[in-house]
């Protein structure tokens, strides 16, 4: 059985190497965000080159209608789980922006159209004729008496 007992670390400034004792390691492969297509369009984070700058705690960028999330904005944590949460926030920000711009919610509009179509095809009198009535099935409603007392009679 192979187990981790140590690691060799390299000082990237001096090039020197040293061994340290450890029981476990967490490997981060690192990455460079693929944001070059946004150069000259949105602002970038001055402290972290290549990372898109967002406004406050939102996913809004310096350009109205462009949102950034996940690996292109997170220079600190760079984890799939934080990127997923950031992506969900960007989707909500984008949906809100589309609504504010009057571009609407296509799914809600489709649902409303479908419901209207279904209701237009439905004859209320016909649907009542075919519906099930438990009182009729039990012999009809008795006037002036609680339904529960009918069973006792």
């Amino acid at each position: 059985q192979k187990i981790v007992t140590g690691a060799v670390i390299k000082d990237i400034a001096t090039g020197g190497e040293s061994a340290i004792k450890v029981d476990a390691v967490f490997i981060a492969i690192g990455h460079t965000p693929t944001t070059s297509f946004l150069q000259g369009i949105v602002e970038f984070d001055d402290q972290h080159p290549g990372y898109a700058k967002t406004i406050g705690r939102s996913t809004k960028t310096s350009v109205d209608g462009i949102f950034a999330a996940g690996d292109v904005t997170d220079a600190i944590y760079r984890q799939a789980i934080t990127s997923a949460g950031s992506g969900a926030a960007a989707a909500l920000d984008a949906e809100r922006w589309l609504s504010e711009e009057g571009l609407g919610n296509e799914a809600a509009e489709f649902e409303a159209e479908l419901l209207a179509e279904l209701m237009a095809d439905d004859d209320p009198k016909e649907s009542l004729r075919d519906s099930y009535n438990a009182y009729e099935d039990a012999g009809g409603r008795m006037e002036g008496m609680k339904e529960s007392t009918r069973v006792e009679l």
Side-chain angles (χ1 to χ4, degrees):
Q1 177 180 1
K2 294 182 179 183
I3 59 171
V4 174
T5 58
V8 175
I9 57 172
K10 182 177 182 178
D11 184 327
I12 58 170
T14 65
E17 293 184 352
S18 58
I20 58 171
K21 290 185 176 189
V22 296
D23 295 325
V25 293
F26 180 83
I27 299 171
I29 60 171
H31 71 285
T32 302
T34 309
T35 55
S36 58
F37 69 99
L38 292 171
Q39 289 291 339
I41 298 172
V42 300
E43 290 181 25
F44 284 83
D45 186 338
D46 295 333
Q47 302 298 313
H48 302 97
Y51 289 89
K53 184 177 184 178
T54 55
I55 299 170
R57 295 178 49 122
S58 76
T59 61
K60 296 176 185 178
T61 65
S62 57
V63 176
D64 197 33
I66 297 180
F67 302 88
D71 294 350
V72 301
T73 61
D74 180 10
I76 307 299
Y77 300 106
R78 299 185 296 181
Q79 297 293 308
I81 191 70
T82 56
S83 291
S86 176
L92 292 170
D93 284 343
E95 181 181 38
R96 186 175 299 116
W97 182 84
L98 288 168
S99 179
E100 289 169 357
E101 293 295 311
L103 299 174
N105 180 336
E106 290 180 15
E109 289 173 12
F110 175 73
E111 184 178 344
E113 288 174 18
L114 183 60
L115 186 57
E117 192 176 307
L118 289 171
M119 291 178 71
D121 291 344
D122 193 21
D123 179 4
K125 292 178 184 172
E126 185 178 312
S127 64
L128 286 176
R129 253 180 288 155
D130 297 332
S131 65
Y132 174 73
N133 185 329
Y135 291 109
E136 287 176 6
D137 197 33
R141 182 185 279 272
M142 297 180 67
E143 296 294 324
M145 190 183 287
K146 286 178 135 181
E147 285 83 8
S148 60
T149 59
R150 186 176 191 302
V151 176
E152 299 168 11
L153 296 175

